[in-house]
Amino acid sequence: MQLYWCQTAQPNVGDALNVWLWPRVLPALANTALPGTFYGIGSILDERLNSPGPKYILGSGARRALHGIDAKVDLRCLAVRGPLTADALALPAKFAAIDPAVLVSRLYPHGSRKRDDIGFVPYFASPQDIWSGIAERLGMRFVSPHLGVEEFLSALDGCRFVITEAMHGAILADALRIPWFPIGANSLVYEGGTNSFKWTDWCKSVDLDFQPRHLPPLWQPGQQTLAALRTHVKTKWAEHCLRAIVAGKRRYLSTDGVFNAGLARLDDAIGEFDRLLTRDAP
């Protein structure tokens, strides 16, 4: 069976989790005789599924309500990321579980280190050098989504609070039980309506109300004086917004009960899929 995951020119830890996590959770996946394609972590339920063969869905999310998947596609859903995806695919509410990235809570040792830092995670396609400069000036730990999975988790595990533009920055922080806060900047330009849909989908799965702080999108300044000045002004405003978030009292973190209930639904789906993977094994 083929594992599908979104491979972008710039590395993205949210996508790379697939090749780190699933061999640990579903070791039978690599050698199963079951034909088809497996879809796990990511907002990947769209036109990309319009090809022959069975498609097994375990925790993936849609990018929008009008997902573009042809009605003839052999779609075999065990669980999806959240209630918006379940509605988009016309699935009963019980199929809305939680993002499978939260399984790192079991797979990665965490919580034993002292958590002193305030972390900042940009969107993977945002200009990393500009945002890292902002984080440094504000005394924050810059956690790049371009890091490998274990490096990323190690960096998060040293944080007491995480401000994140990357959705999987929030999901992984929540899985490690670290309070977090969502922002939108360059991601809003790159993703459009997908941004709100996928964040709301996941937040609803853990009973949180998605209300991000919008910051100005930042780009590399051009050679012209006006472009450089515009970038400088936006950078200062972004720094002001981040200071306000740190100083404010609002923090996001799912309750243990809601988090564990989502994990339980995911466990049921994993068990069902594992039985499918191994039923024809010798």
Side-chain angles (χ1 to χ4, degrees):
M1 176 172 289
Q2 179 184 0
L3 166 65
Y4 178 86
W5 61 288
C6 182
Q7 302 180 55
T8 52
Q10 297 170 294
N12 182 10
V13 68
D15 297 318
L17 275 164
N18 283 288
V19 295
W20 182 88
L21 184 146
W22 292 117
R24 291 167 166 81
V25 175
L26 291 166
L29 185 63
N31 300 310
T32 183
L34 189 69
T37 306
F38 173 62
Y39 295 78
I41 300 167
S43 302
I44 49 179
L45 303 183
D46 56 21
E47 297 87 350
R48 286 171 284 187
L49 275 70
N50 292 338
S51 59
K55 308 292 189 300
Y56 291 89
I57 312 302
L58 208 170
S60 312
R63 298 179 64 80
R64 53 191 179 274
L66 299 176
H67 47 72
I69 302 172
D70 194 289
K72 297 179 181 179
V73 170
D74 185 359
L75 207 58
R76 306 184 186 190
C77 292
L78 299 115
V80 294
R81 180 178 57 210
L84 297 192
T85 295
D87 286 347
L89 298 181
L91 296 171
K94 66 179 182 179
F95 283 88
I98 197 171
D99 193 291
V102 300
L103 291 166
V104 301
S105 63
R106 296 172 175 169
L107 300 172
Y108 183 80
H110 61 278
S112 60
R113 296 166 52 191
K114 190 173 182 181
R115 290 174 168 172
D116 290 328
D117 295 333
I118 295 175
F120 178 79
V121 186
Y123 182 63
F124 84 100
S126 294
Q128 304 290 298
D129 53 348
I130 293 180
W131 286 110
S132 65
I134 290 174
E136 182 178 358
R137 287 191 293 275
L138 297 180
M140 297 179 178
R141 175 186 286 222
F142 182 77
V143 185
S144 172
H146 296 175
L147 292 172
V149 171
E150 294 195 16
E151 288 180 279
F152 187 91
L153 293 172
S154 177
L156 274 192
D157 197 30
C159 298
R160 57 184 168 85
F161 176 48
V162 175
I163 299 172
T164 178
E165 184 180 17
M167 186 178 77
H168 276 96
I171 293 171
L172 293 174
D174 205 85
L176 301 184
R177 313 316 287 152
I178 301 168
W180 52 275
F181 192 94
I183 64 167
N186 292 73
S187 58
L188 301 175
V189 178
Y190 283 112
E191 295 186 320
T194 293
N195 184 268
S196 178
F197 185 92
K198 72 179 191 180
W199 273 92
T200 303
D201 188 35
W202 176 65
C203 283
K204 282 182 176 292
S205 79
V206 289
D207 199 25
L208 293 172
D209 185 19
F210 178 54
Q211 294 183 12
R213 179 72 182 264
H214 291 166
L215 277 62
L218 300 178
W219 312 97
Q220 297 289 357
Q223 297 300 314
Q224 295 180 355
T225 303
L226 183 59
L229 178 61
R230 187 180 298 116
T231 297
H232 175 75
V233 170
K234 287 185 175 182
T235 298
K236 291 303 179 184
W237 178 244
E239 291 179 8
H240 168 77
C241 292
L242 292 177
R243 287 193 187 96
I245 291 170
V246 173
K249 295 182 179 180
R250 177 145 197 189
R251 301 288 187 267
Y252 285 69
L253 186 66
S254 64
T255 66
D256 289 346
V258 168
F259 182 82
N260 290 328
L263 268 177
R265 291 192 296 273
L266 190 61
D267 282 338
D268 289 343
I270 290 170
E272 181 181 351
F273 187 52
D274 195 42
R275 288 188 288 273
L276 289 174
L277 293 174
T278 57
R279 66 183 179 183
D280 296 326

